[in-house]
């Protein structure tokens, strides 16, 4: 399915506290006691929530009248009361009459919203006999924890929810693929009534962040990471400070990093802070993608303007491009894809520029900056671990600088294929520990070995590291990997992946925005 909501690009003024949309951030409050719930309300207010969802089903004991009255009276924000039964993913396992009486009481005592499930809505309406306080908005909700239905089925669902007396329509589905979110956007942007439309799970993150772009009534943001009322919820802090949620508008351009895994990426922090500082109307997201061609086909509008590409999608992304710059074509992978105004996808590779520059700077530091006109890589034996996209980029880049190349890979055949391409030699990963044709070699790890959470892994023994004058690791979470720590202890100059990350990000930022990269700001952000 093609999803294309076109809009023009414009810049916006940045500023603390500025708001460009009316979409609310709702903090779900889940605790055992009413007093704990009150504490959470104050915390939600301080973190920047607009409204709180009071999950009555999480309270172990409460006095219906006294406690609901207290919760409404002391809450510094508008309220949404939810008493979710087990059969809809909640914790309430009592009878429906008691549940309905509790929600009715919340309405009468001044709740701003109550949430009732579609399966119970008609019965609840009969229970109310039309006695609904005018102030209270009724959210009728439906949750599908298994999948995201086709657009036609979603449209029928929304009609059913409206017919059940909803002031606000709410549905949440499960993301089996990131392209599922497009169907939900399509429903949300055309809704004639206030709508809350969420796609649960990490692949559905985009639905939660881009609510303002597609007209969502509210999104949910948790008070603390991991304490979620549904899978995939970001924190309030992430929404406000990482994704600049308050500044998003219908014509905000969408950028992101395509990968699997991808949640570790620091790119959203880097780009979103820079976008805000110059008033560029864009947002940069984590995009957990399984099928690259399907992603590009689905999100085909100009609103989806540019993408960083990481493991394992760099080769697949190249195949999706209408044009590829010569360097990226030679390497065989892209790490940056731009959608031109004519809709064509253009791929390039900024990885090798960032990495090779960082390694050269490291070598120049060893030689006090004096190497004449030639590259400090010229003539050096450059050992690359990994034969994937980043491995190809570094092997190609080092070859261009005059280095001799060796490729080590877990699968020897892949190492040989890349070595043949760049005129180097191939090794299995197991051979690396005993590989020492000369001293003063350069080592570059381009695999994910040592990446969080497997921080105790390393691709090569500490003993072997004594043969290298410089060791580079493309992994940047953690900044100092076990490989780099042991290399430093063995006397080698180390270059962390963050240096490559910043270098390649300069060029991507300029391609995304048309503005010069704020280099000092990028360095400062990554230092923090």
């Amino acid at each position: 399915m093609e999803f294309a909501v076109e809009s023009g690009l414009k810049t916006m003024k940045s500023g603390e506290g500025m708001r460009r949309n009316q979409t609310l951030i709702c903090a779900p409050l889940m605790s055992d006691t009413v007093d704990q719930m009150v504490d959470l309300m104050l915390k939600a207010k301080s973190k920047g929530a607009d409204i709180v969802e009071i999950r009555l089903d999480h309270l172990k004991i409460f006095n219906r009248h006294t406690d609901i009255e207290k919760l409404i009276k002391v809450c510094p924000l508008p309220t949404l009361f939810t008493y979710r039964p087990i059969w809809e993913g909640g914790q309430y396992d009592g009878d429906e009459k008691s549940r309905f009486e509790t929600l009715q009481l919340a309405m009468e005592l001044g709740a701003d919203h109550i949430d009732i499930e579609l399966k119970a809505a008609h019965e609840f309406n009969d229970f109310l006999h039309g006695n609904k306080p005018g102030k209270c908005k009724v959210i009728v909700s439906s949750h599908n924890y298994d999948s995201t239905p086709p657009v036609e089925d979603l449209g029928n669902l929304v009609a059913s929810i409206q017919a059940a007396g909803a002031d606000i329509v709410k549905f949440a589905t499960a993301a089996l693929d990131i392209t599922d979110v497009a169907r939900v956007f399509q429903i949300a942007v055309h809704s004639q009534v206030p709508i809350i439309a969420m796609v649960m799970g990490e692949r559905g993150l985009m639905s939660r962040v881009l609510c303002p772009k597609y007209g969502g009534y509210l999104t949910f943001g948790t008070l603390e990471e991991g304490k979620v009322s549904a899978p995939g919820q970001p924190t309030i802090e992430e929404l406000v400070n990482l994704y600049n949620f308050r500044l998003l508008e219908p014509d905000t351009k969408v950028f992101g990093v395509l990968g699997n895994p991808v949640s570790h990426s620091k790119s959203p922090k880097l780009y979103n802070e820079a976008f805000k500082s110059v008033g560029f109307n864009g947002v940069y997201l984590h995009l957990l993608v399984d099928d690259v061609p399907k992603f590009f086909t689905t999100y085909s509008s100009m609103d989806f303007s540019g993408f960083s590409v990481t493991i394992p999608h760099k080769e697949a992304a190249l195949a999706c491009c209408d044009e590829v710059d010569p360097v990226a074509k030679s390497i065989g992978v892209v790490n940056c894809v731009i959608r031109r105004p004519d809709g064509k996808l253009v791929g390039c590779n900024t990885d090798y520029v960032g990495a090779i520059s960082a390694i050269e700077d490291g070598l120049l530091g060893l030689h006090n900056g004096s190497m004449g006109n030639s590259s400090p890589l010229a003539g050096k034996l450059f050992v690359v671990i990994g034969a994937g996209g980043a491995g190809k980029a570094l092997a190609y880049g080092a070859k261009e600088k005059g280095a001799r190349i060796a490729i080590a890979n877990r699968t020897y055949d892949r190492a040989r294929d890349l070595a043949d391409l760049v005129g180097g030699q191939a090794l299995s990963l197991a051979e690396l520990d005993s590989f020492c044709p000369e001293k003063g070699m350069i080592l570059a790890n381009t695999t994910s070995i040592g990446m969080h959470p497997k921080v105790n892994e390393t691709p090569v023994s500490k003993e072997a590291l004594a043969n290298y004058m410089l060791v580079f690791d493309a992994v940047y979470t953690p900044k100092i990997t076990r490989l780099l720590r042991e290399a430093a202890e063995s006397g080698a100059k180390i270059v962390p992946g963050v240096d490559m990350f910043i270098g390649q990000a300069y060029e991507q930022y300029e391609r995304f925005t048309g503005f010069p990269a704020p280099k000092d700001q990028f360095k400062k952000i990554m230092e923090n």
Side-chain angles (χ1 to χ4, degrees):
M1 179 198 71
E2 182 176 301
F3 178 64
V5 178
E6 296 290 349
S7 61
L9 175 66
K10 70 174 186 177
T11 57
M12 63 183 173
K13 295 175 183 176
S14 62
E16 291 302 321
M18 186 169 286
R19 187 163 197 150
R20 296 283 178 177
N21 64 69
Q22 297 304 309
T23 303
L24 305 174
I25 296 176
C26 180
L29 308 184
M30 299 163 293
S31 60
D32 294 344
T33 70
V34 169
D35 287 341
Q36 289 171 350
M37 198 80 83
V38 170
D39 290 340
L40 294 179
M41 288 174 175
L42 301 174
K43 190 173 182 181
K45 170 78 171 174
S46 70
K47 284 186 173 290
D50 300 301
I51 179 174
V52 294
E53 181 187 33
I54 297 166
R55 288 293 299 266
L56 295 174
D57 52 303
H58 281 258
L59 291 170
K60 300 300 183 192
I61 302 172
F62 79 106
N63 180 295
R64 184 187 291 171
H65 193 286
T66 305
D67 290 338
I68 289 178
E69 189 172 39
K70 177 181 179 179
L71 288 166
I72 293 173
K73 188 174 180 180
V74 304
C75 189
L77 295 168
T79 55
L80 158 58
F81 280 83
T82 300
Y83 207 7
R84 190 77 73 216
I86 284 176
W87 49 260
E88 190 83 356
Q91 296 194 5
Y92 177 77
D93 61 357
D95 65 279
E96 283 293 80
K97 182 174 182 291
S98 178
R99 190 168 78 95
F100 289 172
E101 287 171 350
T102 302
L103 289 171
Q104 181 186 37
L105 183 61
M107 297 169 80
E108 291 171 349
L109 291 173
D112 297 287
H113 307 74
I114 63 116
D115 181 312
I116 187 73
E117 302 74 25
L118 176 61
K119 293 174 188 173
H122 290 290
E123 189 182 345
F124 182 63
N125 290 336
D126 292 341
F127 173 83
L128 291 177
H129 300 299
N131 297 321
K132 173 183 170 292
K135 178 198 174 190
C136 187
K137 299 279 191 244
V138 174
I139 299 170
V140 177
S141 61
S142 172
H143 300 80
N144 182 333
Y145 292 96
D146 298 318
S147 64
T148 299
V151 168
E152 185 178 352
D153 292 351
L154 289 175
N156 292 335
L157 175 63
V158 169
S160 298
I161 293 173
Q162 284 183 256
D167 296 310
I168 300 165
V169 168
K170 177 188 173 187
F171 70 86
T173 65
L176 304 181
D177 189 271
I178 194 170
T179 56
D180 293 345
V181 180
R183 302 198 288 281
V184 172
F185 283 158
Q186 190 167 342
I187 294 295
V189 80
H190 291 114
S191 179
Q192 300 302 305
V193 297
I195 190 166
I196 303 164
M198 299 291 161
V199 188
M200 297 179 284
E202 189 181 349
R203 289 167 177 81
L205 174 68
M206 193 160 48
S207 72
R208 299 180 179 278
V209 177
L210 297 182
C211 276
K213 183 172 176 64
Y214 297 104
Y217 182 75
L218 63 75
T219 195
F220 291 91
T222 65
L223 294 175
E224 294 178 38
E225 191 172 353
K227 293 191 176 179
V228 300
S229 60
Q233 287 174 352
T235 64
I236 297 169
E237 192 170 358
E238 286 170 339
L239 287 169
V240 175
N241 298 322
L242 175 59
Y243 297 117
N244 300 327
F245 185 86
R246 307 284 192 211
L247 301 178
L248 306 186
E249 301 177 276
D251 59 354
T252 296
K253 294 293 184 183
V254 181
F255 303 85
V257 52
L258 276 62
N260 189 354
V262 76
S263 61
H264 66 279
S265 174
K266 299 292 189 286
S267 295
K269 175 72 174 169
L270 196 68
Y271 291 107
N272 286 327
E273 203 163 307
F275 288 171
K276 183 177 179 179
S277 71
V278 299
F280 179 76
N281 189 7
V283 62
Y284 188 104
L285 306 170
H286 293 101
L287 301 171
L288 179 57
V289 173
D290 301 289
D291 185 325
V292 175
K294 187 178 179 182
F295 175 86
F296 283 127
T297 300
T298 302
Y299 299 102
S300 60
S301 85
M302 285 308 301
D303 277 8
F304 291 83
S305 300
F307 310 94
S308 309
V309 185
T310 187
I311 297 169
H313 296 321
K314 297 184 180 190
E315 291 170 320
L318 183 143
C320 295
C321 291
D322 300 294
E323 295 178 17
V324 180
D325 78 18
V327 173
K329 192 173 284 187
S330 298
I331 298 170
V333 294
V334 298
N335 75 317
C336 180
V337 177
I338 304 295
R339 180 168 275 119
R340 281 196 325 216
D342 62 3
K344 290 189 182 298
L345 295 175
V346 180
C348 61
N349 193 302
T350 66
D351 273 340
Y352 82 101
V353 177
I356 296 300
S357 296
I359 291 167
E360 285 184 319
D361 288 346
L363 289 171
L364 287 172
L366 290 174
H367 295 94
N368 298 318
S370 58
M371 288 291 291
N373 293 325
S374 65
S375 166
L377 284 169
K380 299 283 193 306
L381 183 55
F382 193 99
V383 181
V384 179
I385 304 175
K392 287 181 180 178
L394 261 76
Y396 180 90
K399 179 75 174 179
E400 287 288 293
K401 296 292 187 175
R404 295 168 290 129
I405 309 298
I407 309 294
N409 195 61
R410 192 171 273 136
T411 308
Y412 177 78
D413 287 348
R414 291 201 70 187
R416 187 188 58 218
D417 290 344
L418 178 54
D420 289 347
L421 192 67
V422 296
Q425 63 185 113
L427 307 164
S428 68
L429 203 53
E431 291 178 284
L432 199 54
D433 284 345
S434 58
F435 181 69
C436 182
E438 60 190 71
K439 295 285 187 179
M441 300 180 291
I442 294 162
L443 182 68
N445 174 44
T446 69
T447 72
S448 59
I449 298 171
M451 182 189 290
H452 181 82
K454 297 180 180 180
V455 295
N456 292 320
E457 293 185 358
T458 182
V460 62
S461 69
K462 184 175 181 179
E463 290 73 27
L465 293 173
N467 301 314
Y468 295 91
M469 68 186 303
L470 182 144
V471 175
F472 164 81
D473 197 339
V475 171
Y476 63 90
T477 48
K479 183 177 179 180
I480 302 299
T481 58
R482 178 183 168 187
L483 172 65
L484 292 181
R485 186 178 70 251
E486 292 184 345
E489 291 168 356
S490 302
K493 171 79 175 179
I494 62 171
V495 178
V498 69
D499 292 359
M500 166 190 171
F501 176 76
I502 293 173
Q504 61 84 28
Y506 293 156
E507 189 173 337
Q508 288 201 32
Y509 177 88
E510 292 177 1
R511 288 173 182 262
F512 289 159
T513 66
F515 299 153
K519 296 185 177 182
D520 290 341
Q521 184 185 26
F522 275 17
K523 288 176 182 174
K524 187 176 179 182
I525 292 168
M526 293 310 295
E527 282 170 8
N528 295 333

